[in-house]
Amino acid sequence: MDDPSAPLPVPSDAPAAPAAPLGRTEKLLVDVNRAVLVALMAAMAVLVFANVVARYLFNHSFIWAEELSRYTMVWVGFLGAGLVLRIGAHIAVEVFQDLLPRRGAQLLRVGVVAVLAAALLAMFWLGIAYVQFAWGQETPVLNWNFGLVYVAIPSGALLMLVYLAFIAAPYV
């Protein structure tokens, strides 16, 4: 995994952003985010492996393992998207900004940040509405509150917004 303190790739005609190391708050957030993701993925791997071993060696399957691993995967997806945004690993099409003059490339990047921020705000808002809708429902096997599973949506959107703010701050 890339070092989150490494500077993000910037086109050659882009304005020079301060190459400051991560601030304490940002470093703490990246470290906690990474640790939570590692723990969730490790738990999911152990759970799935144990269920496969139990099924084939002992002819017994943990009825709740599939459901728990599915919900864990949902959380990994939403929390991992923020970390991937922070290290600059999402797919990007840079050909358009590379064709533009410096000022045009800057305006394009500002526009991309604005559109992304608007989409993440909508995702946060709609995620909260979805959590409220699902709050009274229970998961089929574990009988957990379904709202707790869907809290991943606004949590992931908020995390991505915070990372977007950290990334965009040097350019503003």
Side-chain angles (χ1 to χ4, degrees), residues 98-111:
D98 292 345
L99 294 173
L100 294 173
R102 182 177 178 180
R103 183 68 179 144
Q106 289 173 331
L107 291 173
L108 181 62
R109 282 191 294 278
V110 168

Side-chain angles (χ1 to χ4, degrees), residues 9-164:
V10 179
S12 58
D13 64 346
L22 291 177
R24 259 192 349 207
T25 304
E26 186 176 3
K27 181 169 177 12
L28 177 65
L29 184 60
V30 166
D31 290 345
V32 168
N33 192 179
R34 185 174 283 158
V36 168
L37 285 170
V38 167
L40 287 173
M41 290 175 69
M44 188 171 49
V46 167
L47 182 62
V48 170
F49 181 76
N51 199 34
V52 168
V53 168
R55 184 181 312 127
Y56 288 105
L57 291 184
F58 306 113
N59 202 26
H60 174 75
S61 183
F62 303 114
I63 191 168
W64 46 267
E66 187 270 334
E67 186 173 289
L68 183 57
S69 62
R70 183 181 332 131
Y71 301 149
T72 304
M73 180 66 81
V74 168
W75 274 91
V76 165
F78 280 102
L79 296 180
L83 189 58
V84 171
L85 176 67
R86 169 55 190 89
I87 64 174
H90 280 290
I91 295 174
V93 178
E94 297 173 348
V95 69
F96 300 120
Q97 79 174 10
D98 292 345
L99 294 173
L100 294 173
R102 182 177 178 180
R103 183 68 179 144
Q106 289 173 331
L107 291 173
L108 181 62
R109 282 191 294 278
V110 168
V112 167
V113 167
V115 168
L116 185 55
L120 291 172
L121 283 170
M123 186 171 130
F124 177 75
W125 181 264
L126 293 171
I128 289 174
Y130 202 74
V131 168
Q132 291 171 340
F133 170 76
W135 197 258
Q137 302 172 28
E138 288 186 348
T139 61
V141 176
L142 294 170
N143 295 324
W144 288 355
N145 186 332
F146 242 131
L148 295 174
V149 175
Y150 291 115
V151 167
I153 299 169
S155 299
L158 185 62
L159 187 61
M160 285 189 277
L161 275 167
V162 169
Y163 282 133
L164 184 65

